[in-house]
Amino acid sequence: FETSKPLILKDADTLATSSPKGWGLDALHRSVAKRLCRCHIQDDALALTSGRTKLSVIRLPFDEYVTYMESHKDVEPLYLFQELEPDLKQAIDPSFHPPEIFKEDFLLDAYEPPEGFTGLAGWLLVGPPSSGSRWHFDPWSTAAW
């Protein structure tokens, strides 16, 4: 591929793991049902600051989040945004790894993140339609959204 042109990466799940079906909602539910996960509340004021507060995060077991996700009527539903810690990665899919195209970790050359910043190993994001993060200040300034 040419590095000066944008590209669309198709079937990335098959490039990152030997078992992509392990990342589906049913498989996640089986492997991490009782694990506490961070669920975020969307809030305009929080999106315009450099971080979240304890008031914007709710911790729920994964199975309770799935129940909420399947039955909610919220205009802006909660979304799960959980650090992909080694034990969580092991529980979901020990074969997971960044696709070859992302083997170079550019964050290694970046400035230090704010104190207490986590998620350097990746993130697990789950949510129903209309959920997710709004435009916000990225602590790494990567514009990854």
Side-chain angles (χ1 to χ4, degrees):
F1 66 93
E2 293 183 43
T3 59
S4 61
K5 293 186 178 181
L7 66 92
I8 296 174
L9 185 60
K10 294 182 178 180
D11 301 319
D13 57 343
T14 61
L15 301 174
T17 178
S18 59
S19 59
K21 291 182 179 168
W23 292 87
L25 192 57
D26 289 339
L28 287 171
H29 196 223
R30 284 190 301 274
S31 59
V32 294
K34 299 301 177 193
R35 182 184 178 93
L36 281 179
C37 294
R38 289 175 17 158
C39 300
H40 289 257
I41 299 168
Q42 296 184 43
D43 185 318
D44 284 333
L46 293 170
L48 298 175
T49 64
S50 61
R52 300 213 171 256
T53 67
K54 291 181 181 180
L55 299 176
S56 68
V57 177
I58 298 171
R59 293 209 178 259
L60 290 174
F62 188 84
D63 60 348
E64 289 182 27
Y65 176 73
V66 171
T67 299
Y68 159 80
M69 189 177 77
E70 294 173 342
S71 63
H72 80 89
K73 303 287 186 229
D74 300 340
V75 173
E76 294 184 340
L78 296 172
Y79 62 100
L80 187 143
F81 195 93
Q82 178 63 45
E83 297 92 347
L84 191 58
E85 298 153 341
D87 63 322
L88 179 57
K89 178 183 157 190
Q90 185 68 27
I92 296 170
D93 181 2
S95 73
F96 175 78
H97 60 281
E100 187 68 20
I101 193 169
F102 299 122
K103 69 180 176 185
E104 189 173 353
D105 187 351
F106 294 106
L107 290 180
L108 292 176
D109 296 327
Y111 65 89
E112 288 295 315
E115 187 175 322
F117 183 77
T118 59
L120 299 178
W123 299 94
L124 173 64
L125 284 73
V126 179
S130 299
S131 67
S133 178
R134 294 182 177 172
W135 288 101
H136 62 281
F137 292 101
D138 177 358
W140 280 97
S141 300
T142 62
W145 295 93

